[in-house]
Amino acid sequence: MVNLIDRFGRIHNYLRISVTDNCNFRCFYCNPNSAKDCNTGKDSLLSFEEISRVINLFSSHFGFNKFRFTGGEPLVRKGFIDYLSDIQKLKNKLNFKVGLTTNGYLLSYYLPKIIDAGIDYINISLDTLDRIKFKQITKIDVFDNVLNSIYNTLDYGFDNLKINVVVMKGINDDEILDFVHFAITKNINIRFIEYMPFSDNDWNKEDFFSYFDMKSIIETKYKLIADNTNNNSVAKDFILSGYNGKISFISSISEHFCNSCNRVRIASNGDFRTCLFSDDKKSLNFKYLFKNGFDDNDIALKVIEMINDKWEKHPDEISLKKLKSNNMFMIGG
Ligand code: SAM
Ligand code: SF4
C-alpha cells in the first residue's frame, strides 16, 4: 500500500464515483436548457462489478477510506439499490466509509435498504423551501417527496445527513435565513454551496452569491462559531451559538480549498478526474482499462502518473467556463 500523494504533498484518500449521468431532475444550474439526457451510453457506464473493482483497487493500493456515490441521480440507476448489499460486504472486508448524494425524490422509498446496507453519510440536495420555486429550479413538481425524504431520514435516527443548497443571486439568496431556521428546528447540517460555472451551464457573475455575503446575512441574526472538528472537510463548518443545527459553506469560487484537497473522481463515463474542474492533460478511462485487460497494478501506476500531474489549484471562474469537457451531471459534484 502506498499513499496517493501529489507534487504539493496532498494525500488523496477519498473517491467520488458518478454511477450515472441520468437524472429525473433538470436543475438549470447543473443540466440546463437543452437538458441532454444520459450521454453515457449503458455500455460506457462502469458495471457494478467494475465499480467494486475500482473500490477494491483504491482501497488496497492507496488506502482510500471514503467513497461516495453520486451522479446524475444515483437512485435512478437500475440495480443500484441491490448493489448496495455488495458494497456492504466490501465495507466489512476493506473497512471504509460510504456516502450517497441524492436529489431525494426516490430516497424515502429506498431508505430502509440504504440504511440497512450501512451507508454512512447521506447528502440531500434542496435549493428552496418554496414549492413553486422548487419546480422552477428542478423542472419537476416533487417538493413534498424531497421534504419527506429529509424527514424520514431523520426519523430513522440517521445522524450523518447534510442538506446541500446551491445559492444563486435572485433565485434563493432570500431564503438563507429560512434555511438556517430549518437547520435549527430539524437539528441538521445545511451546507450552502457557491454556484459554480461549468461548460454546459449558464453561469455568469451576476448570478453568483459569495460565501462572504451568505455569512454576513446569517450574522445579522446569529452568532456563528467556527467548528474545526472535521479536519477532512472541504466545507467551512459553523455552529450557531445557542442553537441546534450546523451551517457549512462550500466556497469553491471565492475562497478555494484546493490546498487541502484529498479527493479524486470517476465520472459516469469512467473517466478518472483529479479535480472537479480538471482539464487533465492525460486521460485515464477505467472502462477502457478494464475492457482491455489492464491489471490492477498497471492501473495503479497510471493513477499515480495522473496524480503527479494534478494542478495546484483550479483556475478562476472565467477560465473555468472555457473548459469544454466539464459537466456537473457527469462528474457528480
Ligand atoms: N443528483 C444528485 C443531487 O442533486 O444531489 C447528485 C448529483 S449533483 C451533480 C451533486 C451536487 O452538485 C448537488 O448538491 C448539486 O446541487 C450540486 N451542483 C450541481 N451543479 C452545481 C453548480 N453549478 N454549482 C454548485 N453546485 C452544483
Ligand atoms: Fe440532477 Fe442533481 Fe444535477 Fe439536479 S443537481 S440535475 S438532481 S444531477
Side-chain angles (χ1 to χ4, degrees), residues 23 25-27 29-31 71-73 103 329:
C23 187
F25 287 15
R26 287 287 180 273
C27 306
Y29 55 80
C30 172
N31 186 356
E73 173 51 34
N103 61 32
F329 58 92

Side-chain angles (χ1 to χ4, degrees), residues 197-201 273 275-281 311 314-327 331:
F198 287 90
S199 50
D200 238 21
N201 73 9
R273 293 185 160 261
C275 171
L276 176 57
F277 302 106
S278 69
D279 195 18
D280 292 317
K281 298 205 174 33
W311 58 23
H314 62 73
D316 65 38
E317 68 274 10
I318 303 302
S319 318
L320 283 175
K321 246 345 245 172
K322 294 190 188 127
L323 300 177
K324 280 290 160 228
S325 55
N326 289 320
N327 282 314
I331 309 167

Side-chain angles (χ1 to χ4, degrees), residues 253-319:
I253 301 300
S254 63
E255 208 174 84
H256 70 76
F257 33 80
C258 303
N259 54 349
S260 59
C261 181
N262 67 339
R263 52 193 62 195
V264 288
R265 295 171 166 82
I266 295 184
S268 57
N269 63 355
D271 275 352
F272 180 66
R273 293 185 160 261
T274 57
C275 171
L276 176 57
F277 302 106
S278 69
D279 195 18
D280 292 317
K281 298 205 174 33
K282 297 184 184 122
S283 67
L284 191 62
N285 181 281
F286 276 80
K287 192 76 192 173
Y288 172 87
L289 295 168
F290 291 155
K291 258 188 177 165
N292 287 282
F294 285 80
D295 72 22
D296 284 5
N297 290 327
D298 293 335
I299 298 175
L301 288 174
K302 288 181 180 301
V303 168
I304 291 171
E305 243 181 68
M306 292 279 291
I307 280 294
N308 282 335
D309 272 357
K310 177 165 172 165
W311 58 23
E312 186 177 8
K313 53 184 171 38
H314 62 73
D316 65 38
E317 68 274 10
I318 303 302
S319 318

